[in-house]
């Protein structure tokens, strides 16, 4: 993978190499990292880590984590290793299929698992094979949830970001295995339907489901052209690396 861009995340606090024509992480990966409630000394597994953006954003915000990524595509796994090194973070990246994880991963247990599973069930695949594989669901969403729960310690926390219309599949996969589910809808603008959801669940818990107030990304009522119109809350997350954890905290 030779044709790469050097992208800045968190206002340039992280430098991330990504393919110009392949799959490129963006705001969803940063939001996923911001939602994970990990604290120093804990371990975090990212399923489908790509170039490592979500894990490295989390590692920047919470130093002292043990970061592990699983990525099916070797060239993206290599990028994640490279990006971790460039940004001065320790991250172990394993290559393999989450439905048939490598033997080394099957011996591990984690305090947290995070994932941004592919969003699209069908349609015309992207011309770039790596982008197509990262965006189109080959492994069922239920298998992503299952893989995450299997790698969690008891009372470990699974955090996913996904399209809002896949929420039913996530909840079905969690049923009977994880509880205290919290759902944060993510809407582009106030008064608009949520396009994304961030779902957090605790393995083995039995607490009630909570549907949280929407997190709104943009402040203007309509698209404002090339001018950025992030809300203060969204700007704090995407630009400064602020956590979303407070939105999930019970009051």
């Amino acid at each position: 993978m030779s044709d790469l861009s050097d992208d800045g995340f968190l206002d340039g606090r992280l430098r991330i190499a990504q393919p110009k024509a392949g799959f490129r992480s963006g705001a969803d990966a940063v939001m996923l990292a911001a939602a994970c409630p990990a604290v120093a000394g804990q371990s975090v597994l990212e399923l489908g880590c790509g170039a490592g953006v979500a894990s490295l954003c989390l590692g920047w915000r919470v130093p002292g984590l043990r970061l592990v990524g699983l990525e099916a595509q070797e060239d993206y796994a290599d990028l994640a290793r490279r990006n971790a090194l460039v940004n001065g973070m320790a991250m172990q990246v394993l290559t393999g299929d989450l439905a048939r994880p490598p033997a080394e991963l099957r011996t591990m247990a984690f305090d947290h698992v995070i994932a941004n599973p592919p969003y699209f069930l069908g349609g015309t695949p992207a011309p770039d094979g790596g982008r197509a594989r990262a965006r189109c669901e080959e492994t069922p969403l239920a298998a992503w949830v299952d893989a995450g729960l299997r790698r969690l310690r008891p009372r470990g926390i699974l955090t996913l970001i996904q399209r809002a219309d896949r929420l039913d599949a996530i909840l079905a996969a969690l049923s009977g295995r994880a509880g205290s589910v919290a759902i944060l809808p993510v809407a582009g603008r106030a008064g608009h339907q949520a396009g994304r959801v961030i779902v957090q669940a605790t393995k083995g818990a039995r607490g009630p489901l909570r549907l949280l107030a929407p997190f709104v990304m943009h402040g203007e009522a309509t698209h404002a052209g090339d001018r950025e119109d992030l809300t203060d809350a969204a700007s704090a997350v995407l630009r400064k690396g602020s956590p979303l954890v407070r939105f999930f905290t019970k009051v």
Side-chain angles (χ1 to χ4, degrees):
M1 192 180 291
S2 58
D3 197 10
L4 301 174
S5 62
D6 178 28
D7 300 325
F9 283 80
L10 306 182
D11 261 358
R13 295 174 175 88
L14 290 177
R15 304 306 309 181
I16 302 290
Q18 299 195 93
K20 291 181 178 178
F23 176 73
R24 298 171 57 78
S25 293
D28 287 352
V30 184
M31 296 284 285
L32 176 64
C36 180
V39 298
Q42 291 187 323
S43 56
V44 182
L45 169 66
E46 182 181 2
L47 297 174
C49 68
V53 174
S55 289
L56 296 177
C57 285
L58 177 56
W60 178 87
R61 177 169 63 86
V62 187
L65 295 174
R66 175 177 166 242
L67 299 173
V68 178
L70 176 67
E71 173 53 46
Q73 302 185 72
E74 182 61 54
D75 48 359
Y76 284 86
D78 285 340
L79 273 182
R81 297 180 188 109
R82 165 182 167 174
N83 288 329
L85 183 64
V86 166
N87 288 283
M89 294 187 211
M91 179 179 176
Q92 181 182 7
V93 182
L94 304 173
T95 306
D97 186 338
L98 65 88
R100 295 176 293 277
E104 185 177 1
L105 184 60
R106 292 198 299 268
T107 67
M108 299 178 184
F110 297 87
D111 300 297
H112 298 270
V113 173
I114 62 174
N116 179 10
Y119 284 168
F120 300 105
L121 290 171
T124 303
D128 178 85
R131 179 177 171 84
R133 188 170 185 184
R135 288 171 58 85
C136 295
E137 183 178 298
E138 295 180 356
T139 302
L141 185 53
W144 285 77
V145 174
D146 177 70
L149 293 175
R150 286 178 182 275
R151 298 277 65 81
L152 280 172
R153 296 188 172 98
R155 298 288 168 167
I157 297 175
L158 175 67
T159 305
L160 305 173
I161 186 168
Q162 181 54 257
R163 280 181 11 193
D165 63 2
R166 303 303 309 282
L167 177 59
D168 57 344
I170 295 173
L171 295 179
L174 291 171
S175 180
R177 303 180 65 188
S180 299
V181 177
I183 302 164
L184 179 66
V186 180
R189 302 181 189 280
H192 288 218
Q193 293 185 23
R196 302 282 187 267
V197 288
I198 301 176
V199 180
Q200 202 164 86
T202 302
K203 181 176 179 177
R206 294 292 182 265
L209 182 147
R210 293 181 297 133
L211 180 60
L212 309 176
F215 184 92
V216 178
M217 297 295 292
H218 298 283
E220 302 291 338
T222 59
H223 180 58
D226 291 335
R227 180 171 59 85
E228 184 176 275
D229 67 338
L230 293 173
T231 61
D232 289 344
S235 180
V237 170
L238 298 180
R239 303 293 177 233
K240 300 177 183 177
S242 297
L244 279 169
V245 175
R246 66 185 176 90
F247 291 89
F248 289 89
T249 302
K250 294 180 181 180
V251 294

